[in-house]
Amino acid sequence: MYDVIVVGGGNAALCAALSAKETCQRVLVLERAPEAESGGNSRFTAGLMRVAYRGVEDLRQAIPDLTAEEIARTDFGTYTEAQFLDDMARVTEYRCDPDLTELLVKNSLPAVTWMRSKGVRFTAAWGRQAFNVGGRFKFWGGLTLEAVGGGPGLVESLTGAAKKNGIEIWYGARAVSLLVDDAGVQGVVVKKSGKTTQVKSKAVVLAAGGFQANPEWRARYLGPNWELAKVRGTRFNTGDVIRMALEAGAAPAGNWSGCHAVAWERNAPEFGDLAVGDQFQKHSYPWGVYINALGRRFVDEGADFRNYTYAKYGRVILSQPGQFAWQVFDAKVKAQLRDEYKIRQVTKHTANSLEELCAKLDDTDGAAALQELRAYNAAVRADIAFNPNVKDGRRTEGLAIDKSNWANTLDTPPFEAYAVTCGITFTFGGLKIDTGAQVLSADGEPIPGLYAAGELVGGIFWFNYPGGSGLTNGSVFGRIAGASAARAARG
Ligand SMILES: Cc1cc2nc3c(=O)[nH]c(=O)nc-3n(C[C@H](O)[C@H](O)[C@H](O)COP(=O)(O)OP(=O)(O)OC[C@H]3O[C@@H](n4cnc5c(N)ncnc54)[C@H](O)[C@@H]3O)c2cc1C
C-alpha cells in the first residue's frame, strides 16, 4: 500500500511527488513512457517559467548565483503579481478561474524557489527573452526565468531529486483506470510489461497531461482539421487519464475546444522529436510577414509581443488553405531571427528578389504573393522608428489586415521564406479542481483521495496563453496537489 501514487512523469507529476514525500513515506510515480522517452511535454520545453517578481532581488531567490556583472548589464525590470494577473485575464478573455489564477500567480516565485531547494537550477533567459540595445539587455514580455539545461535539464534534476528522496518511479507503467468506491479513490489499475495489476494507495495525484496526442479526441473536441495538426511534444498524452477520472465521476472544466498551438515546421514529424526539442517552432514572425497558399496575408504579425500571440496563431495557420503558411523575412532582420531558424530541418527558400522568392513558394499563388508583398511594403509607416524592445507602433496603414508594430519593409536581399504548419502544444480542457488541487465531482463535491495538476486541469487557460505559464502551472499545482494528497494519506 502506497501513501500517494502520482500518475505522470513530467514537471507537474515530479513536483507533486516531491511535495508529497515531504510529509509521507511511500510515494510511487507511474510514468507511461519508457525511461528513454520519459518526462512528458516538460522535457520538450525550453524550461522557461513565468513568475511574478518585483525586481532583481526577488529573482535572486531562484537564481542566487547571478553575478554583479550580469546584474549591471541587464535591465530585468519588474513583473508584478498585478501584471501577471492582468496578462492572464487579458489573454484568456477574462475566463480564467479567478481563484486558481490567483494561486498560480501568488505561488509562482515561491514554487520555483522551492524547486531550487530541491536541486533545480535556474538562470535568466537572456538568449530568448531579452534584446541587447546599447550594450544592455532588456527583458520583455514578463518572462525572465529558465531552468538550466532547458526542459531536459529540468526533468533530469527533478527525477534526480525524486530518486534521492526515495520516491519510486515505474517507467512503461500506464494507468488504465482508478480504483474507486463510495469512500473515494483507493488506487490505480496499471498496465506494465503487458500485465495489468491493481496498485493500492491512500491518495492519487493525476498529472498525466492533456489529450493533444490523440487525433480522434482532437477532431472530436477541438473541431474539424485538428487531426491534421502536428504534435509538438510527447506522443503519450492521449487523454487516458482525463477519461479515467471522468469515468470515476470527475467534472470536466474549461476550454475543451481550445488549445495552445503555434507555427511549426511544415514537414516536421507527427510527434515531437527529443533530439530537436522545441526547435521546429518558428517564433520570429513579428519581424516579417505571413503569406498563405492564396498569396495573401491573413493575420496581424505585430499585434503584440510574440509571447502573447504565438499560442493562438497555430489555430490561425491551421485554418488556412492546405493548413500551411510562409513566414517571409529580408536580410535586415536576419540577425534577429531566433536560433530555431538555423536548424537543418527547415523548409525554406532564399532569393535575391521578391519576384524570384514568390516564384519559388511551393503550393502557393506566387503572382498574388508578389502583389501582396508589394502592397505591404507600400503601406509601412517608415517615418516611425523600429524598436524590437517595445511595441513600437511602426505599422502599416490601409491594408485589409494591418500589421500594428515592427512593420519593416521587405527591401534588402537575400529574402527568405520558411514554411510552417500548426503544431499543437497542449489542450486547455480538463478536470475541475478546487484550491487544494482536489478533483471535484460532477455534483460539485470533492472526490475523496483524488487530486490533479498540470495540463490535464481545466479552467485556467482559455483561447490563448502567456508564454512560460505551463511549467509554472504544473509546479504550483503539482506542489499543492502533492501536499494535499499527503495530508489525506496521513488521515
Ligand atoms: C515543444 C514544447 C515547448 C514548450 N515550451 C514551454 C516553455 O518553455 N515553458 C512552459 O512553461 N511551457 C512550455 N511548454 C508547455 C509545457 O510543456 C506544458 O505546459 C507542461 O510541461 C505540462 O506539464 P505536465 O507535467 O502537466 O505534463 P507533461 O510534462 O506532458 O507530463 C505528462 C506525463 O504523463 C504521462 N502519462 C500520460 N498518460 C499516462 C498514463 N495513462 N499513465 C501514466 N503516465 C501517463 C506522460 O508520459 C508524461 O510523462 C512547451 C511544450 C512543448 C511541447
Side-chain angles (χ1 to χ4, degrees), residues 64-78:
D65 38 9
L66 267 181
T67 66
E69 190 266 324
E70 285 168 338
I71 292 171
R73 69 176 161 87
T74 310
D75 177 0
F76 290 104
T78 59

Side-chain angles (χ1 to χ4, degrees), residues 328-398:
V328 183
F329 305 100
D330 78 354
K332 288 200 301 296
V333 296
K334 174 88 181 168
Q336 228 171 285
L337 298 189
R338 293 160 57 103
D339 285 350
E340 65 232 20
Y341 287 79
K342 298 180 190 125
I343 66 168
R344 201 166 36 81
Q345 303 90 327
V346 288
T347 305
K348 166 187 170 183
H349 292 296
T350 306
N352 280 320
S353 68
L354 286 179
E355 289 83 344
E356 194 194 331
L357 186 78
C358 291
K360 285 183 175 178
L361 302 180
D362 328 76
D363 309 327
T364 300
D365 182 337
L370 183 60
Q371 200 181 29
E372 188 82 346
L373 294 178
R374 284 182 173 152
Y376 163 83
N377 273 346
V380 170
R381 283 282 305 270
D383 56 313
I384 302 169
F386 171 75
N387 181 353
N389 269 334
V390 294
K391 288 204 257 175
D392 61 5
R394 187 182 158 111
R395 51 180 292 118
T396 62
E397 265 172 17

Side-chain angles (χ1 to χ4, degrees), residues 8-9 12 31-32 40-42 45 48 175 208 236-237 240 425 455 468 470-471:
E31 162 61 297
R32 175 179 172 187
N41 267 356
S42 304
T45 70
L48 286 158
F236 295 102
N237 292 0
D240 269 28
T425 320
E455 255 175 28
L471 288 174

Side-chain angles (χ1 to χ4, degrees), residues 13 24 60 71 77 89 119 180 307 316 475:
C24 63
R60 284 181 101 158
I71 292 171
V180 61
N307 44 23
V316 180
S475 299

Side-chain angles (χ1 to χ4, degrees), residues 6-14 30-33 37-50 128 143 155 173-176 207-210 212 231-234 236-241 244 260 264 277-279 281 310 424-426 453-456 461 465-474:
V6 180
V7 182
N11 176 57
L14 293 168
L30 298 174
E31 162 61 297
R32 175 179 172 187
E37 291 178 83
S38 63
N41 267 356
S42 304
R43 188 159 154 200
F44 284 85
T45 70
L48 286 158
M49 294 186 70
R50 183 171 290 260
R128 289 191 183 228
L143 189 51
V155 169
R174 180 177 186 172
V176 290
Q212 62 277 359
V231 176
R232 296 178 68 205
T234 178
F236 295 102
N237 292 0
T238 53
D240 269 28
V241 172
M244 70 193 221
H260 180 302
W264 194 248
D278 66 0
Q279 300 286 290
Q281 68 202 11
Y310 79 116
I424 181 169
T425 320
F426 66 94
E455 255 175 28
L456 55 55
F461 303 120
Y465 154 107
S469 311
L471 288 174
T472 306
N473 176 44

Side-chain angles (χ1 to χ4, degrees), residues 30-284:
L30 298 174
E31 162 61 297
R32 175 179 172 187
E35 190 166 0
E37 291 178 83
S38 63
N41 267 356
S42 304
R43 188 159 154 200
F44 284 85
T45 70
L48 286 158
M49 294 186 70
R50 183 171 290 260
V51 300
Y53 62 95
R54 288 161 301 184
V56 67
E57 281 316 310
D58 277 354
L59 287 175
R60 284 181 101 158
Q61 294 175 32
I63 326 174
D65 38 9
L66 267 181
T67 66
E69 190 266 324
E70 285 168 338
I71 292 171
R73 69 176 161 87
T74 310
D75 177 0
F76 290 104
T78 59
Y79 186 62
T80 61
E81 290 182 357
Q83 282 172 294
F84 195 168
L85 282 169
D86 276 358
D87 280 344
M88 282 293 298
R90 182 170 53 87
V91 307
T92 65
E93 298 175 24
Y94 301 91
R95 287 186 186 260
C96 57
D97 180 295
D99 297 331
L100 298 181
T101 304
E102 192 176 340
L103 275 177
L104 169 70
V105 169
K106 286 198 183 314
N107 288 290
S108 57
L109 184 65
V112 295
T113 309
W114 172 80
M115 289 164 81
R116 165 86 206 176
S117 77
K118 301 288 177 193
V120 180
R121 290 186 53 235
F122 295 96
T123 184
W126 283 285
R128 289 191 183 228
Q129 286 297 136
F131 294 114
N132 188 336
V133 176
R136 208 154 179 252
F137 282 92
K138 182 174 166 46
F139 275 89
W140 53 270
L143 189 51
T144 309
L145 204 70
E146 71 184 8
V148 169
L154 174 69
V155 169
E156 194 183 323
S157 46
L158 286 172
T159 305
K163 288 182 178 163
K164 200 172 90 195
N165 281 277
I167 293 166
E168 239 180 281
I169 304 179
W170 294 359
Y171 292 102
R174 180 177 186 172
V176 290
S177 61
L178 287 167
L179 292 170
V180 61
D181 60 21
D182 288 346
V185 171
Q186 313 295 342
V188 179
V189 179
V190 186
K191 188 158 186 185
K192 185 172 185 298
S193 310
K195 278 214 170 86
T196 304
T197 48
Q198 296 191 351
V199 188
K200 297 270 175 61
S201 66
K202 295 177 188 158
V204 173
V205 178
L206 306 178
F211 60 84
Q212 62 277 359
N214 180 337
E216 196 246 353
W217 276 37
R218 285 207 304 274
R220 192 190 311 183
Y221 293 112
L222 304 181
N225 282 352
W226 276 98
E227 70 278 22
L228 305 175
K230 311 262 182 190
V231 176
R232 296 178 68 205
T234 178
R235 62 193 172 98
F236 295 102
N237 292 0
T238 53
D240 269 28
V241 172
I242 297 178
R243 176 199 37 82
M244 70 193 221
L246 295 178
E247 281 169 5
N255 190 193
W256 275 72
S257 59
C259 66
H260 180 302
V262 309
W264 194 248
E265 159 57 34
R266 187 181 179 194
N267 292 304
E270 188 185 352
F271 299 107
D273 174 349
L274 279 169
V276 180
D278 66 0
Q279 300 286 290
F280 287 125
Q281 68 202 11
K282 295 289 168 273
H283 284 352
S284 292

